[in-house]
Amino acid sequence: GGAAMAAVRDVEIDPEGTFKYILMRLQRPGGGEQRDIVRGTKAAEFHNHIFEKVNPEMEKLGYECKCLGGGKIDHNSKDKKIRVFGLSTGYGKADHSVTVEILKKVYTDYEITWSDDKK
C-alpha cells in the first residue's frame, strides 16, 4: 500500500550539471493512488533510456508507469539553483511547472525556475 509508494523517492537527479529528465506518473492498476516523480541523469543519452531503466523497477513495486514528457535540468549545486527547460523529442514536453513543484519538495532551499527555452 502506501508504504511502498512512500519508498519511491519524488526526485532522483544528478547532483550537478545539465542533463535530460522525464516526468513519470506512477499508478496502481485499476486506479487508486497515483503520484508523479522526476528522474534525470547525464548517463542517459536519450529520454527513453531513463524510462527504460526506471519502469522495470516501478513495475516490480506494482506500479503502472507512464511518461508525461521530458526536458532538461540544469543543476547548479554550488549556487543552489535548478533550471528546468527544453523538451523530449520522443515524449514531448513535460509540464515543467509540475516538475518544479516536485523539485521544491526535495530542494527546499533552492531557487528553482523553468522556461520553454530549448537551451
Side-chain angles (χ1 to χ4, degrees):
M5 198 165 242
V8 176
R9 289 195 297 214
D10 289 315
V11 177
E12 285 184 20
I13 59 171
D14 286 0
E16 187 67 44
T18 304
F19 44 85
K20 291 182 167 66
Y21 94 88
I22 60 171
L23 184 61
M24 289 177 73
R25 175 157 293 163
L26 309 183
Q27 191 156 8
R28 289 288 182 208
E33 55 181 340
Q34 64 172 41
R35 62 185 278 213
D36 296 345
I37 61 171
V38 174
R39 294 291 183 269
T41 177
K42 271 189 276 228
E45 192 184 347
F46 300 106
H47 287 89
N48 62 305
H49 292 171
I50 308 173
F51 187 80
E52 283 159 13
K53 183 181 174 295
V54 178
N55 190 39
E57 297 168 8
M58 297 304 149
E59 285 183 338
K60 275 196 201 107
L61 296 172
Y63 296 110
E64 291 171 349
C65 306
K66 72 174 175 207
C67 183
L68 301 178
K72 284 187 168 175
I73 286 176
D74 181 27
H75 188 172
N76 181 335
S77 52
K78 185 167 62 74
D79 295 341
K80 296 199 166 181
K81 285 185 179 172
I82 294 177
R83 188 168 70 94
V84 185
F85 64 101
L87 52 82
S88 160
T89 318
Y91 294 124
K93 185 176 78 70
D95 184 339
H96 297 326
S97 64
V98 172
T99 302
V100 166
E101 289 311 308
I102 297 170
L103 289 168
K104 279 178 178 169
K105 287 194 225 171
V106 178
Y107 295 95
T108 49
D109 55 345
Y110 269 59
E111 180 192 323
I112 306 176
T113 57
W114 68 271
S115 77
D116 287 328
D117 299 344
K118 299 285 193 292
K119 291 193 185 325

